[in-house]
Amino acid sequence: MEKAFDFLRENKDVAFGTVENGRPNLRVFQVMLIKRHTLYFATSPRKDVYRQLTENPAVEILGMKGNISVRMSGDIKFDVPLDIQKEIYNTGV
């Protein structure tokens, strides 16, 4: 599992899949931060992806480089601690 997180630390651009009306929606997202086994992403409450995530928090990501790929799935949580938020935005990724 650590190899997958190391890969995502080096390859931050991932396909980010959500669900809307039972249909998949993909877009490219950037992994903003990884802490332990938690991935952090950023978006705006004005975007469709934000609404999709509030309606259905299930996501899947896929990162790929050459012939190596990493796929993970999970649920989004919006309760990001303030210190983590500051770290993400101060890093300037």
Side-chain angles (χ1 to χ4, degrees), residues 1-2 5-6 9 33-40:
M1 189 67 143
E2 285 307 313
F5 286 103
D6 289 343
R9 282 183 185 91
L33 183 67
I34 299 174
K35 290 280 190 178
R36 298 179 55 142
H37 291 157
T38 302
L39 304 175
Y40 293 91

Side-chain angles (χ1 to χ4, degrees), residues 12-17 26-29 60-64 72:
K12 296 178 180 292
D13 293 330
V14 297
F16 187 91
L26 289 173
R27 76 267 299 147
V28 176
F29 256 56
E60 186 167 85
I61 66 163
L62 173 66
M64 186 170 182
M72 293 183 178

